Amino acid sequence: MADKPSRKTFHLRLDEMVNRLKEDILTSKLQTGDYLPSEKSLGEQFHLSNRSVRKGLEVLVREGLIVKVPKVGNRVTRPDDSGTLTVRFGYYKSMAYEADLHHLLTLFQEQYPQIRVQAVPIAGDVGIKEYLEAGLLDAATVNYPTYQSILDGKERDWLEEQTPDPSMYPYVTHAFTADGLLMAKPFLFSPLVLCYNREHIRANGLLEPDSGWSWQDLSQVASQLTRPNERLGFYFHLQSRNRWPVFLLQSGGSLRKEPDGRPIICGTDWMEGFKVCRDLIVNQRTMPMFDQESDAEELFRQGKASMIMTSYFAMNRLRSMKGDWDIAPLPHLRNGKTLLLVIGLIVNRNSSRKEAARKLIDFLTSYPAQLAVRKNTLSIPALKPAAEWTGPDSHYRPQRFHLYREVAPTFSFYDELGLSNDDIVRMTQQAKMYWSGLCDEQQLCESLERCLSG
């Protein structure tokens, strides 16, 4: 049975409140000396009890962003360097639930009371680069596309070399290694996988997906699972750079070029990948009108989609879902490659608090912290002993959680295609016209070649 669509878990609501207040303070929407709304008002806004609101406000107190004024309220302040050292740590907002990050930072500050962590929520990839350039961060989370864009630009000199840990999975260490040097310490990783509703599969007398499935097999099963005005058989956020490039990887090969450097798309195997993307949507007999990557998990949680392409990161949105669901390898095209998503931790080489930042990164990648990620989330820790821990779970975990170990040989990165992150973004804009039925394959080929030549 699906959860009610509008219900959020307690932790998500609490994280939303903490992140919203942090962002308002750090962007000066709330100025030093301003008072936060009353605890009662915050409780009504975020649907939390007064006790829960106070628990969230304690996070801001520990980070030196507010002070409690007895019988008056909570006043915005700024971290004071006297007696403590403040490390400014930039993080993707999704890390709050994908890594249970606020809990980890609380554990760190219990172990290092002399170091205060000011957690700075970052909206997007560009934000991290801008914050580093302005000297506003001492350390930060970074995904693989952003890491690559940093290496390709002048920002490379901002990254402090780090010490490899032989207990990390080698493929995630390799992802952040440049010229033999580890420039970001691996934190979390996830391959793309197929997530499916067992109840829907069984009710239709169908067999569960396995590693032998092709995309054609999935399409046929999806058509049997689709119910007009009720649910989609299969869905994924087509426009996401963390989803559709897997079809190019499975098509085989990298970007071909003419002797003069002009890219070649027409007549290549890549066109099969674009066509499979389009057919997976068209064959649903409906055009889903959703614009966020997280919509796939929300549809699945509500029982409005029977199968989705997702990641271990995104599956954290399903932890409270009632019902029987599991995961399987992605179907294959010409090969069975899957896209590997990785999150690393960087230290700003120009930071005056570099040693304190190193302590924070070393803690977040230590066995206790990585084990906490393994126990409290569905994300995969980069530290192998923590990731492969087994024991009682406090929340639902798919039976095939350790599937990632079986499909590790298929892990791939989009830069194997010979494309940059900017190339992927430009190609997405052109491909959307084709996927929407507004141009044919020849027009798509020509538009892609033009945009990659620019």
Side-chain angles (χ1 to χ4, degrees), residues 99-100 103-104 107 187-188 363-377 379-391 393 395 397:
D100 198 16
H103 173 63
L104 296 182
L107 295 177
F187 183 42
L188 309 173
F363 173 81
L364 292 175
T365 55
S366 67
Y367 181 75
Q370 292 273 287
L371 182 60
V373 171
R374 167 62 179 81
K375 289 182 176 181
N376 300 329
T377 77
S379 300
I380 311 172
L383 192 69
K384 186 174 182 179
E388 300 188 4
W389 172 88
T390 57
D393 277 307
H395 55 81
R397 190 174 297 275

PDB file of all heavy atoms in Angstrom, residues 99-100 103-104 107 187-188 363-377 379-391 393 395 397:
ATOM      1  N   ALA A  99      22.929  11.194   3.363  1.00  0.00           N
ATOM      2  CA  ALA A  99      24.044  10.785   4.221  1.00  0.00           C
ATOM      3  C   ALA A  99      23.746  10.984   5.700  1.00  0.00           C
ATOM      4  O   ALA A  99      24.615  10.725   6.527  1.00  0.00           O
ATOM      5  CB  ALA A  99      25.298  11.573   3.843  1.00  0.00           C
ATOM      6  N   ASP A 100      22.521  11.446   6.024  1.00  0.00           N
ATOM      7  CA  ASP A 100      22.194  11.779   7.411  1.00  0.00           C
ATOM      8  C   ASP A 100      23.266  12.723   7.950  1.00  0.00           C
ATOM      9  O   ASP A 100      23.804  12.544   9.046  1.00  0.00           O
ATOM     10  CB  ASP A 100      22.098  10.511   8.259  1.00  0.00           C
ATOM     11  CG  ASP A 100      21.353  10.736   9.567  1.00  0.00           C
ATOM     12  OD1 ASP A 100      20.649  11.763   9.685  1.00  0.00           O
ATOM     13  OD2 ASP A 100      21.477   9.896  10.482  1.00  0.00           O
ATOM     14  N   HIS A 103      23.475  14.501  11.474  1.00  0.00           N
ATOM     15  CA  HIS A 103      23.839  13.569  12.548  1.00  0.00           C
ATOM     16  C   HIS A 103      25.351  13.355  12.571  1.00  0.00           C
ATOM     17  O   HIS A 103      25.979  13.340  13.648  1.00  0.00           O
ATOM     18  CB  HIS A 103      23.119  12.240  12.344  1.00  0.00           C
ATOM     19  CG  HIS A 103      23.533  11.159  13.292  1.00  0.00           C
ATOM     20  ND1 HIS A 103      23.343  11.249  14.656  1.00  0.00           N
ATOM     21  CD2 HIS A 103      24.144   9.962  13.074  1.00  0.00           C
ATOM     22  CE1 HIS A 103      23.811  10.157  15.238  1.00  0.00           C
ATOM     23  NE2 HIS A 103      24.306   9.371  14.308  1.00  0.00           N
ATOM     24  N   LEU A 104      25.961  13.207  11.389  1.00  0.00           N
ATOM     25  CA  LEU A 104      27.405  13.018  11.321  1.00  0.00           C
ATOM     26  C   LEU A 104      28.153  14.225  11.862  1.00  0.00           C
ATOM     27  O   LEU A 104      29.159  14.082  12.572  1.00  0.00           O
ATOM     28  CB  LEU A 104      27.835  12.753   9.868  1.00  0.00           C
ATOM     29  CG  LEU A 104      27.309  11.483   9.205  1.00  0.00           C
ATOM     30  CD1 LEU A 104      27.880  11.363   7.794  1.00  0.00           C
ATOM     31  CD2 LEU A 104      27.640  10.252  10.023  1.00  0.00           C
ATOM     32  N   LEU A 107      28.117  14.199  15.592  1.00  0.00           N
ATOM     33  CA  LEU A 107      29.105  13.245  16.112  1.00  0.00           C
ATOM     34  C   LEU A 107      30.513  13.831  16.039  1.00  0.00           C
ATOM     35  O   LEU A 107      31.326  13.650  16.963  1.00  0.00           O
ATOM     36  CB  LEU A 107      29.047  11.940  15.319  1.00  0.00           C
ATOM     37  CG  LEU A 107      27.755  11.123  15.419  1.00  0.00           C
ATOM     38  CD1 LEU A 107      27.851   9.889  14.511  1.00  0.00           C
ATOM     39  CD2 LEU A 107      27.487  10.717  16.863  1.00  0.00           C
ATOM     40  N   PHE A 187      33.360   9.627  -0.584  1.00  0.00           N
ATOM     41  CA  PHE A 187      32.423   9.675   0.542  1.00  0.00           C
ATOM     42  C   PHE A 187      31.283   8.669   0.334  1.00  0.00           C
ATOM     43  O   PHE A 187      31.087   7.759   1.128  1.00  0.00           O
ATOM     44  CB  PHE A 187      31.888  11.100   0.685  1.00  0.00           C
ATOM     45  CG  PHE A 187      30.959  11.318   1.845  1.00  0.00           C
ATOM     46  CD1 PHE A 187      31.210  10.762   3.090  1.00  0.00           C
ATOM     47  CD2 PHE A 187      29.830  12.121   1.711  1.00  0.00           C
ATOM     48  CE1 PHE A 187      30.350  10.977   4.174  1.00  0.00           C
ATOM     49  CE2 PHE A 187      28.971  12.343   2.772  1.00  0.00           C
ATOM     50  CZ  PHE A 187      29.231  11.768   4.002  1.00  0.00           C
ATOM     51  N   LEU A 188      30.547   8.821  -0.774  1.00  0.00           N
ATOM     52  CA  LEU A 188      29.424   7.941  -1.104  1.00  0.00           C
ATOM     53  C   LEU A 188      29.466   7.625  -2.590  1.00  0.00           C
ATOM     54  O   LEU A 188      30.066   8.360  -3.378  1.00  0.00           O
ATOM     55  CB  LEU A 188      28.078   8.625  -0.801  1.00  0.00           C
ATOM     56  CG  LEU A 188      27.840   9.257   0.560  1.00  0.00           C
ATOM     57  CD1 LEU A 188      26.517  10.019   0.540  1.00  0.00           C
ATOM     58  CD2 LEU A 188      27.834   8.211   1.664  1.00  0.00           C
ATOM     59  N   PHE A 363      37.208  12.457   9.448  1.00  0.00           N
ATOM     60  CA  PHE A 363      36.148  11.890  10.287  1.00  0.00           C
ATOM     61  C   PHE A 363      35.001  11.356   9.430  1.00  0.00           C
ATOM     62  O   PHE A 363      34.504  10.250   9.665  1.00  0.00           O
ATOM     63  CB  PHE A 363      35.609  12.936  11.263  1.00  0.00           C
ATOM     64  CG  PHE A 363      34.413  12.455  12.031  1.00  0.00           C
ATOM     65  CD1 PHE A 363      34.555  11.644  13.146  1.00  0.00           C
ATOM     66  CD2 PHE A 363      33.126  12.781  11.618  1.00  0.00           C
ATOM     67  CE1 PHE A 363      33.451  11.159  13.834  1.00  0.00           C
ATOM     68  CE2 PHE A 363      32.015  12.313  12.298  1.00  0.00           C
ATOM     69  CZ  PHE A 363      32.172  11.499  13.410  1.00  0.00           C
ATOM     70  N   LEU A 364      34.568  12.137   8.436  1.00  0.00           N
ATOM     71  CA  LEU A 364      33.431  11.729   7.602  1.00  0.00           C
ATOM     72  C   LEU A 364      33.727  10.467   6.793  1.00  0.00           C
ATOM     73  O   LEU A 364      32.801   9.766   6.378  1.00  0.00           O
ATOM     74  CB  LEU A 364      33.040  12.869   6.657  1.00  0.00           C
ATOM     75  CG  LEU A 364      32.431  14.106   7.322  1.00  0.00           C
ATOM     76  CD1 LEU A 364      32.201  15.204   6.286  1.00  0.00           C
ATOM     77  CD2 LEU A 364      31.128  13.770   8.035  1.00  0.00           C
ATOM     78  N   THR A 365      35.014  10.176   6.579  1.00  0.00           N
ATOM     79  CA  THR A 365      35.385   8.968   5.846  1.00  0.00           C
ATOM     80  C   THR A 365      35.923   7.875   6.762  1.00  0.00           C
ATOM     81  O   THR A 365      36.428   6.853   6.281  1.00  0.00           O
ATOM     82  CB  THR A 365      36.430   9.300   4.758  1.00  0.00           C
ATOM     83  OG1 THR A 365      37.555   9.969   5.366  1.00  0.00           O
ATOM     84  CG2 THR A 365      35.834  10.196   3.698  1.00  0.00           C
ATOM     85  N   SER A 366      35.804   8.078   8.073  1.00  0.00           N
ATOM     86  CA  SER A 366      36.250   7.077   9.040  1.00  0.00           C
ATOM     87  C   SER A 366      35.222   5.960   9.157  1.00  0.00           C
ATOM     88  O   SER A 366      34.061   6.108   8.743  1.00  0.00           O
ATOM     89  CB  SER A 366      36.467   7.714  10.414  1.00  0.00           C
ATOM     90  OG  SER A 366      35.215   8.139  10.962  1.00  0.00           O
ATOM     91  N   TYR A 367      35.614   4.843   9.739  1.00  0.00           N
ATOM     92  CA  TYR A 367      34.695   3.712   9.867  1.00  0.00           C
ATOM     93  C   TYR A 367      33.449   4.058  10.671  1.00  0.00           C
ATOM     94  O   TYR A 367      32.327   3.718  10.239  1.00  0.00           O
ATOM     95  CB  TYR A 367      35.421   2.509  10.486  1.00  0.00           C
ATOM     96  CG  TYR A 367      34.524   1.297  10.613  1.00  0.00           C
ATOM     97  CD1 TYR A 367      34.197   0.535   9.499  1.00  0.00           C
ATOM     98  CD2 TYR A 367      33.983   0.934  11.848  1.00  0.00           C
ATOM     99  CE1 TYR A 367      33.366  -0.569   9.597  1.00  0.00           C
ATOM    100  CE2 TYR A 367      33.146  -0.166  11.961  1.00  0.00           C
ATOM    101  CZ  TYR A 367      32.835  -0.910  10.835  1.00  0.00           C
ATOM    102  OH  TYR A 367      32.000  -1.992  10.946  1.00  0.00           O
ATOM    103  N   PRO A 368      33.544   4.733  11.837  1.00  0.00           N
ATOM    104  CA  PRO A 368      32.313   5.044  12.585  1.00  0.00           C
ATOM    105  C   PRO A 368      31.324   5.888  11.781  1.00  0.00           C
ATOM    106  O   PRO A 368      30.116   5.622  11.803  1.00  0.00           O
ATOM    107  CB  PRO A 368      32.832   5.793  13.817  1.00  0.00           C
ATOM    108  CG  PRO A 368      34.233   5.325  13.990  1.00  0.00           C
ATOM    109  CD  PRO A 368      34.751   5.133  12.598  1.00  0.00           C
ATOM    110  N   ALA A 369      31.825   6.909  11.083  1.00  0.00           N
ATOM    111  CA  ALA A 369      30.925   7.776  10.317  1.00  0.00           C
ATOM    112  C   ALA A 369      30.352   7.037   9.111  1.00  0.00           C
ATOM    113  O   ALA A 369      29.156   7.129   8.805  1.00  0.00           O
ATOM    114  CB  ALA A 369      31.662   9.033   9.858  1.00  0.00           C
ATOM    115  N   GLN A 370      31.195   6.274   8.414  1.00  0.00           N
ATOM    116  CA  GLN A 370      30.719   5.537   7.245  1.00  0.00           C
ATOM    117  C   GLN A 370      29.744   4.429   7.648  1.00  0.00           C
ATOM    118  O   GLN A 370      28.780   4.149   6.934  1.00  0.00           O
ATOM    119  CB  GLN A 370      31.920   4.946   6.499  1.00  0.00           C
ATOM    120  CG  GLN A 370      32.817   6.004   5.836  1.00  0.00           C
ATOM    121  CD  GLN A 370      32.345   6.379   4.454  1.00  0.00           C
ATOM    122  OE1 GLN A 370      32.486   5.611   3.510  1.00  0.00           O
ATOM    123  NE2 GLN A 370      31.789   7.569   4.305  1.00  0.00           N
ATOM    124  N   LEU A 371      29.966   3.828   8.819  1.00  0.00           N
ATOM    125  CA  LEU A 371      29.037   2.818   9.306  1.00  0.00           C
ATOM    126  C   LEU A 371      27.693   3.450   9.650  1.00  0.00           C
ATOM    127  O   LEU A 371      26.628   2.857   9.421  1.00  0.00           O
ATOM    128  CB  LEU A 371      29.612   2.109  10.530  1.00  0.00           C
ATOM    129  CG  LEU A 371      28.756   0.979  11.116  1.00  0.00           C
ATOM    130  CD1 LEU A 371      28.522  -0.114  10.078  1.00  0.00           C
ATOM    131  CD2 LEU A 371      29.409   0.400  12.372  1.00  0.00           C
ATOM    132  N   ALA A 372      27.714   4.673  10.178  1.00  0.00           N
ATOM    133  CA  ALA A 372      26.467   5.384  10.476  1.00  0.00           C
ATOM    134  C   ALA A 372      25.680   5.632   9.190  1.00  0.00           C
ATOM    135  O   ALA A 372      24.451   5.518   9.164  1.00  0.00           O
ATOM    136  CB  ALA A 372      26.763   6.704  11.182  1.00  0.00           C
ATOM    137  N   VAL A 373      26.383   5.970   8.103  1.00  0.00           N
ATOM    138  CA  VAL A 373      25.722   6.140   6.805  1.00  0.00           C
ATOM    139  C   VAL A 373      25.078   4.826   6.373  1.00  0.00           C
ATOM    140  O   VAL A 373      23.925   4.789   5.937  1.00  0.00           O
ATOM    141  CB  VAL A 373      26.730   6.613   5.734  1.00  0.00           C
ATOM    142  CG1 VAL A 373      26.103   6.575   4.348  1.00  0.00           C
ATOM    143  CG2 VAL A 373      27.219   8.024   6.049  1.00  0.00           C
ATOM    144  N   ARG A 374      25.816   3.729   6.520  1.00  0.00           N
ATOM    145  CA  ARG A 374      25.309   2.414   6.113  1.00  0.00           C
ATOM    146  C   ARG A 374      24.059   2.027   6.915  1.00  0.00           C
ATOM    147  O   ARG A 374      23.095   1.491   6.360  1.00  0.00           O
ATOM    148  CB  ARG A 374      26.416   1.368   6.311  1.00  0.00           C
ATOM    149  CG  ARG A 374      25.977  -0.098   6.225  1.00  0.00           C
ATOM    150  CD  ARG A 374      25.425  -0.456   4.859  1.00  0.00           C
ATOM    151  NE  ARG A 374      25.049  -1.858   4.799  1.00  0.00           N
ATOM    152  CZ  ARG A 374      23.900  -2.360   5.261  1.00  0.00           C
ATOM    153  NH1 ARG A 374      23.007  -1.540   5.827  1.00  0.00           N
ATOM    154  NH2 ARG A 374      23.635  -3.641   5.169  1.00  0.00           N
ATOM    155  N   LYS A 375      24.053   2.318   8.211  1.00  0.00           N
ATOM    156  CA  LYS A 375      22.940   1.911   9.062  1.00  0.00           C
ATOM    157  C   LYS A 375      21.720   2.808   8.903  1.00  0.00           C
ATOM    158  O   LYS A 375      20.578   2.339   8.972  1.00  0.00           O
ATOM    159  CB  LYS A 375      23.375   1.912  10.536  1.00  0.00           C
ATOM    160  CG  LYS A 375      24.342   0.807  10.905  1.00  0.00           C
ATOM    161  CD  LYS A 375      24.677   0.872  12.394  1.00  0.00           C
ATOM    162  CE  LYS A 375      25.567  -0.281  12.829  1.00  0.00           C
ATOM    163  NZ  LYS A 375      25.881  -0.226  14.280  1.00  0.00           N
ATOM    164  N   ASN A 376      21.947   4.099   8.697  1.00  0.00           N
ATOM    165  CA  ASN A 376      20.846   5.067   8.759  1.00  0.00           C
ATOM    166  C   ASN A 376      20.300   5.499   7.418  1.00  0.00           C
ATOM    167  O   ASN A 376      19.301   6.222   7.355  1.00  0.00           O
ATOM    168  CB  ASN A 376      21.301   6.307   9.539  1.00  0.00           C
ATOM    169  CG  ASN A 376      21.707   5.981  10.964  1.00  0.00           C
ATOM    170  OD1 ASN A 376      21.180   5.053  11.571  1.00  0.00           O
ATOM    171  ND2 ASN A 376      22.657   6.741  11.501  1.00  0.00           N
ATOM    172  N   THR A 377      20.950   5.094   6.316  1.00  0.00           N
ATOM    173  CA  THR A 377      20.501   5.509   4.984  1.00  0.00           C
ATOM    174  C   THR A 377      20.543   4.311   4.036  1.00  0.00           C
ATOM    175  O   THR A 377      20.962   3.216   4.406  1.00  0.00           O
ATOM    176  CB  THR A 377      21.386   6.626   4.405  1.00  0.00           C
ATOM    177  OG1 THR A 377      22.625   6.072   3.936  1.00  0.00           O
ATOM    178  CG2 THR A 377      21.686   7.713   5.441  1.00  0.00           C
ATOM    179  N   SER A 379      22.207   4.921   1.110  1.00  0.00           N
ATOM    180  CA  SER A 379      23.382   5.266   0.313  1.00  0.00           C
ATOM    181  C   SER A 379      24.511   4.269   0.599  1.00  0.00           C
ATOM    182  O   SER A 379      24.541   3.637   1.659  1.00  0.00           O
ATOM    183  CB  SER A 379      23.847   6.683   0.640  1.00  0.00           C
ATOM    184  OG  SER A 379      22.832   7.635   0.363  1.00  0.00           O
ATOM    185  N   ILE A 380      25.443   4.151  -0.339  1.00  0.00           N
ATOM    186  CA  ILE A 380      26.565   3.220  -0.176  1.00  0.00           C
ATOM    187  C   ILE A 380      27.803   3.983   0.270  1.00  0.00           C
ATOM    188  O   ILE A 380      28.289   4.856  -0.454  1.00  0.00           O
ATOM    189  CB  ILE A 380      26.874   2.478  -1.486  1.00  0.00           C
ATOM    190  CG1 ILE A 380      25.596   1.900  -2.102  1.00  0.00           C
ATOM    191  CG2 ILE A 380      27.894   1.372  -1.243  1.00  0.00           C
ATOM    192  CD1 ILE A 380      25.808   1.322  -3.487  1.00  0.00           C
ATOM    193  N   PRO A 381      28.345   3.692   1.439  1.00  0.00           N
ATOM    194  CA  PRO A 381      29.577   4.353   1.881  1.00  0.00           C
ATOM    195  C   PRO A 381      30.749   3.943   0.999  1.00  0.00           C
ATOM    196  O   PRO A 381      30.790   2.821   0.473  1.00  0.00           O
ATOM    197  CB  PRO A 381      29.765   3.844   3.314  1.00  0.00           C
ATOM    198  CG  PRO A 381      28.472   3.210   3.704  1.00  0.00           C
ATOM    199  CD  PRO A 381      27.842   2.732   2.433  1.00  0.00           C
ATOM    200  N   ALA A 382      31.707   4.842   0.843  1.00  0.00           N
ATOM    201  CA  ALA A 382      32.879   4.535   0.021  1.00  0.00           C
ATOM    202  C   ALA A 382      33.826   3.565   0.718  1.00  0.00           C
ATOM    203  O   ALA A 382      34.616   2.891   0.060  1.00  0.00           O
ATOM    204  CB  ALA A 382      33.615   5.822  -0.333  1.00  0.00           C
ATOM    205  N   LEU A 383      33.747   3.489   2.048  1.00  0.00           N
ATOM    206  CA  LEU A 383      34.627   2.618   2.825  1.00  0.00           C
ATOM    207  C   LEU A 383      34.072   1.199   2.798  1.00  0.00           C
ATOM    208  O   LEU A 383      32.987   0.929   3.328  1.00  0.00           O
ATOM    209  CB  LEU A 383      34.747   3.129   4.261  1.00  0.00           C
ATOM    210  CG  LEU A 383      35.848   2.501   5.111  1.00  0.00           C
ATOM    211  CD1 LEU A 383      37.228   2.936   4.613  1.00  0.00           C
ATOM    212  CD2 LEU A 383      35.681   2.880   6.583  1.00  0.00           C
ATOM    213  N   LYS A 384      34.799   0.282   2.202  1.00  0.00           N
ATOM    214  CA  LYS A 384      34.289  -1.079   1.958  1.00  0.00           C
ATOM    215  C   LYS A 384      33.848  -1.804   3.230  1.00  0.00           C
ATOM    216  O   LYS A 384      32.762  -2.396   3.256  1.00  0.00           O
ATOM    217  CB  LYS A 384      35.348  -1.878   1.208  1.00  0.00           C
ATOM    218  CG  LYS A 384      34.880  -3.255   0.767  1.00  0.00           C
ATOM    219  CD  LYS A 384      35.923  -3.942  -0.101  1.00  0.00           C
ATOM    220  CE  LYS A 384      35.422  -5.301  -0.580  1.00  0.00           C
ATOM    221  NZ  LYS A 384      36.418  -5.973  -1.461  1.00  0.00           N
ATOM    222  N   PRO A 385      34.634  -1.808   4.327  1.00  0.00           N
ATOM    223  CA  PRO A 385      34.183  -2.524   5.533  1.00  0.00           C
ATOM    224  C   PRO A 385      32.866  -2.000   6.080  1.00  0.00           C
ATOM    225  O   PRO A 385      32.059  -2.775   6.605  1.00  0.00           O
ATOM    226  CB  PRO A 385      35.338  -2.303   6.526  1.00  0.00           C
ATOM    227  CG  PRO A 385      36.523  -2.011   5.677  1.00  0.00           C
ATOM    228  CD  PRO A 385      35.992  -1.253   4.502  1.00  0.00           C
ATOM    229  N   ALA A 386      32.621  -0.703   5.969  1.00  0.00           N
ATOM    230  CA  ALA A 386      31.359  -0.132   6.446  1.00  0.00           C
ATOM    231  C   ALA A 386      30.217  -0.484   5.506  1.00  0.00           C
ATOM    232  O   ALA A 386      29.120  -0.846   5.938  1.00  0.00           O
ATOM    233  CB  ALA A 386      31.486   1.388   6.576  1.00  0.00           C
ATOM    234  N   ALA A 387      30.462  -0.400   4.201  1.00  0.00           N
ATOM    235  CA  ALA A 387      29.412  -0.678   3.221  1.00  0.00           C
ATOM    236  C   ALA A 387      28.940  -2.125   3.305  1.00  0.00           C
ATOM    237  O   ALA A 387      27.754  -2.412   3.113  1.00  0.00           O
ATOM    238  CB  ALA A 387      29.915  -0.373   1.815  1.00  0.00           C
ATOM    239  N   GLU A 388      29.853  -3.045   3.610  1.00  0.00           N
ATOM    240  CA  GLU A 388      29.517  -4.458   3.590  1.00  0.00           C
ATOM    241  C   GLU A 388      29.150  -5.004   4.970  1.00  0.00           C
ATOM    242  O   GLU A 388      28.999  -6.220   5.146  1.00  0.00           O
ATOM    243  CB  GLU A 388      30.660  -5.242   2.955  1.00  0.00           C
ATOM    244  CG  GLU A 388      30.911  -4.777   1.516  1.00  0.00           C
ATOM    245  CD  GLU A 388      31.895  -5.631   0.746  1.00  0.00           C
ATOM    246  OE1 GLU A 388      32.349  -6.655   1.296  1.00  0.00           O
ATOM    247  OE2 GLU A 388      32.195  -5.282  -0.409  1.00  0.00           O
ATOM    248  N   TRP A 389      28.965  -4.095   5.916  1.00  0.00           N
ATOM    249  CA  TRP A 389      28.465  -4.492   7.239  1.00  0.00           C
ATOM    250  C   TRP A 389      27.058  -5.067   7.105  1.00  0.00           C
ATOM    251  O   TRP A 389      26.266  -4.620   6.275  1.00  0.00           O
ATOM    252  CB  TRP A 389      28.431  -3.271   8.154  1.00  0.00           C
ATOM    253  CG  TRP A 389      27.759  -3.498   9.483  1.00  0.00           C
ATOM    254  CD1 TRP A 389      28.329  -3.941  10.621  1.00  0.00           C
ATOM    255  CD2 TRP A 389      26.370  -3.276   9.789  1.00  0.00           C
ATOM    256  NE1 TRP A 389      27.401  -4.015  11.633  1.00  0.00           N
ATOM    257  CE2 TRP A 389      26.186  -3.618  11.147  1.00  0.00           C
ATOM    258  CE3 TRP A 389      25.271  -2.842   9.052  1.00  0.00           C
ATOM    259  CZ2 TRP A 389      24.949  -3.521  11.787  1.00  0.00           C
ATOM    260  CZ3 TRP A 389      24.038  -2.752   9.673  1.00  0.00           C
ATOM    261  CH2 TRP A 389      23.875  -3.079  11.026  1.00  0.00           C
ATOM    262  N   THR A 390      26.761  -6.077   7.878  1.00  0.00           N
ATOM    263  CA  THR A 390      25.411  -6.634   7.907  1.00  0.00           C
ATOM    264  C   THR A 390      24.922  -6.675   9.343  1.00  0.00           C
ATOM    265  O   THR A 390      25.700  -6.921  10.271  1.00  0.00           O
ATOM    266  CB  THR A 390      25.372  -8.055   7.317  1.00  0.00           C
ATOM    267  OG1 THR A 390      26.287  -8.903   8.032  1.00  0.00           O
ATOM    268  CG2 THR A 390      25.725  -8.042   5.835  1.00  0.00           C
ATOM    269  N   GLY A 391      23.646  -6.411   9.522  1.00  0.00           N
ATOM    270  CA  GLY A 391      23.057  -6.394  10.853  1.00  0.00           C
ATOM    271  C   GLY A 391      21.619  -5.938  10.761  1.00  0.00           C
ATOM    272  O   GLY A 391      21.093  -5.702   9.668  1.00  0.00           O
ATOM    273  N   ASP A 393      18.331  -3.756  10.595  1.00  0.00           N
ATOM    274  CA  ASP A 393      18.055  -2.444  10.020  1.00  0.00           C
ATOM    275  C   ASP A 393      16.945  -1.748  10.789  1.00  0.00           C
ATOM    276  O   ASP A 393      16.003  -2.391  11.269  1.00  0.00           O
ATOM    277  CB  ASP A 393      17.646  -2.564   8.550  1.00  0.00           C
ATOM    278  CG  ASP A 393      18.848  -2.673   7.625  1.00  0.00           C
ATOM    279  OD1 ASP A 393      19.724  -1.798   7.716  1.00  0.00           O
ATOM    280  OD2 ASP A 393      18.913  -3.622   6.838  1.00  0.00           O
ATOM    281  N   HIS A 395      15.126   0.540   9.235  1.00  0.00           N
ATOM    282  CA  HIS A 395      14.173   0.939   8.201  1.00  0.00           C
ATOM    283  C   HIS A 395      14.216  -0.090   7.086  1.00  0.00           C
ATOM    284  O   HIS A 395      15.068  -0.985   7.072  1.00  0.00           O
ATOM    285  CB  HIS A 395      14.505   2.336   7.661  1.00  0.00           C
ATOM    286  CG  HIS A 395      15.923   2.459   7.156  1.00  0.00           C
ATOM    287  ND1 HIS A 395      16.307   2.020   5.909  1.00  0.00           N
ATOM    288  CD2 HIS A 395      17.044   2.967   7.738  1.00  0.00           C
ATOM    289  CE1 HIS A 395      17.588   2.254   5.744  1.00  0.00           C
ATOM    290  NE2 HIS A 395      18.076   2.810   6.828  1.00  0.00           N
ATOM    291  N   ARG A 397      14.976  -1.995   3.807  1.00  0.00           N
ATOM    292  CA  ARG A 397      16.126  -2.071   2.906  1.00  0.00           C
ATOM    293  C   ARG A 397      15.831  -3.152   1.865  1.00  0.00           C
ATOM    294  O   ARG A 397      15.417  -4.268   2.224  1.00  0.00           O
ATOM    295  CB  ARG A 397      17.390  -2.428   3.689  1.00  0.00           C
ATOM    296  CG  ARG A 397      18.693  -2.286   2.884  1.00  0.00           C
ATOM    297  CD  ARG A 397      19.893  -2.529   3.785  1.00  0.00           C
ATOM    298  NE  ARG A 397      19.983  -1.548   4.839  1.00  0.00           N
ATOM    299  CZ  ARG A 397      20.560  -0.357   4.732  1.00  0.00           C
ATOM    300  NH1 ARG A 397      21.126  -0.012   3.588  1.00  0.00           N
ATOM    301  NH2 ARG A 397      20.581   0.478   5.748  1.00  0.00           N
TER     302      ARG A 397
END
